[in-house]
Amino acid sequence: MNFIDETWIGWLDQLAEQDYVVVDDFISNEFFNRIMAFFSEAEENDKLKKAGIGAQQDFQLKAEVRGDFIYWLDEERDQELSFFFDLKDELVQNLKRFCYLSLSGSEFHIAKYPVGTHYHRHLDQFNEQSNRQITVLIYLNKDWKPGDGGELVIYKEGREIMVEPIAGRLLLFKSDTIEHEVLTTHIPRYSLTGWLLHQPAGVGFLLS
Ligand code: OGA
Ligand code: NI
C-alpha cells in the first residue's frame, strides 16, 4: 500500500465532487526515474508510434487532431513498471470501495508529444461502445515551467481549468463528462496515460 485510506478518501471526495482531481507528488523520484528509464528504452528502440495512425491519407488529418506518439503497456510484459501497476491496482481498489464504481480492466500507454504538437478538445469516449470510465494521467516533465506549454485544459461548466504537466502529478477525471485539450507544447512532453474500464453489466453475454 502506497497511501493510507484517509489520503485516498480526500482525493476521491474531490473526484466525486468535481469530476476531476489533481494530486501532486503522486509518484516518488525513484518511480519517476524508473518510468523515464522505460521511456528512454522505448524511444531508443523505436517503440513509440504515432497515435491512431492508419491509412496514409489519414495521417495528416489525425496529426491535426492529436500529435502524440504512444506505446501501449502490457502488465505481463512490462515488469519494470510493476510498481506502477501496483499503484494502479490500489487506485482501482479504492475507487471500488469509496466510489462504488464497477471497474474491470484498464488500458495504459506512455505518450510523448513532440515540440509543436497538441491534442484538440475532446472527450475520451469516442463511440457508444467505449467503456472508459476514469482517465488517469501521470505527468513526467521534470523541469516544466510557465511558457513551456502542453497544459491540459479541462472544460467544465463554462470554465477552463489549466493543469500544468509537471513531474509526479496525477490527474484523474471522469472520462464520459470531462472535455479536455492539450495545448501546444514547446518542449517534448511526457506522460503515462490510461483508462479504467467500466464493467459492462452483460459482459458474460457479450463475450459468449
Ligand atoms: C488523451 C489525453 C491528455 C494529456 O490521451 O486522451 O487527453 O494531458 N491526454 O496528455
Ligand atoms: Ni483525452
Side-chain angles (χ1 to χ4, degrees):
M1 211 183 64
N2 291 275
F3 301 101
I4 59 170
D5 285 356
E6 284 69 19
T7 303
W8 281 110
I9 289 168
W11 296 337
L12 298 182
D13 269 354
Q14 288 185 58
L15 177 65
E17 269 165 34
Q18 316 172 331
D19 287 0
Y20 74 92
V21 60
V22 177
V23 174
D24 282 324
D25 302 315
F26 183 68
I27 56 166
S28 64
N29 253 322
E30 186 198 333
F31 283 2
F32 171 83
N33 290 334
R34 281 198 233 167
I35 300 179
M36 291 320 282
F38 183 87
F39 226 122
S40 299
E41 195 271 340
E43 272 200 278
E44 278 156 24
N45 293 293
D46 227 11
K47 290 177 181 168
L48 294 172
K49 303 291 176 205
K50 181 81 200 63
I53 188 165
Q56 200 60 31
Q57 65 267 34
D58 282 357
F59 185 85
Q60 205 54 39
L61 191 67
K62 282 185 175 139
E64 285 170 19
V65 175
R66 66 185 290 190
D68 55 333
F69 287 71
I70 63 174
Y71 177 60
W72 288 101
L73 302 180
D74 182 300
E75 199 159 340
E76 297 302 314
R77 181 194 60 208
D78 301 321
Q79 299 284 334
E80 309 95 296
L81 296 180
S82 62
F83 73 91
F84 164 71
F85 291 109
D86 290 346
L87 260 174
K88 182 264 296 173
D89 288 342
E90 190 173 320
L91 168 65
V92 168
Q93 287 315 313
N94 285 295
L95 283 165
K96 287 180 176 171
R97 273 171 75 199
F98 299 124
C99 301
Y100 310 105
L101 294 187
S102 97
L103 296 169
S104 143
S106 61
E107 48 191 15
F108 279 89
H109 60 58
I110 53 174
K112 177 185 179 180
Y113 286 74
V115 170
T117 61
H118 65 273
Y119 194 154
H120 272 190
R121 179 172 171 167
H122 66 282
L123 265 184
D124 283 349
Q125 293 198 347
F126 300 112
N127 51 43
E128 302 92 70
Q129 78 254 53
S130 175
N131 55 347
R132 291 172 170 183
Q133 198 166 18
I134 301 286
T135 300
V136 180
L137 284 144
I138 296 179
Y139 293 115
L140 303 167
N141 305 292
K142 194 89 181 169
D143 299 312
W144 190 93
K145 56 187 187 313
D148 285 345
E151 292 93 341
L152 187 276
V153 185
I154 288 174
Y155 293 94
K156 193 170 178 270
E157 293 154 7
R159 288 184 302 141
E160 298 180 9
I161 298 142
M162 292 278 184
V163 182
E164 299 84 6
I166 64 176
R169 172 173 278 178
L170 168 76
L171 169 65
L172 301 175
F173 59 80
K174 288 191 63 187
S175 310
D176 60 341
T177 57
I178 295 286
E179 284 193 41
H180 56 284
E181 170 178 9
V182 178
L183 300 183
T184 301
T185 185
H186 309 301
I187 54 165
R189 177 196 195 266
Y190 298 94
S191 62
L192 201 172
T193 306
W195 295 272
L196 306 179
L197 307 177
H198 182 63
Q199 160 94 71
V203 69
F205 169 75
L206 288 170
L207 289 176
S208 62

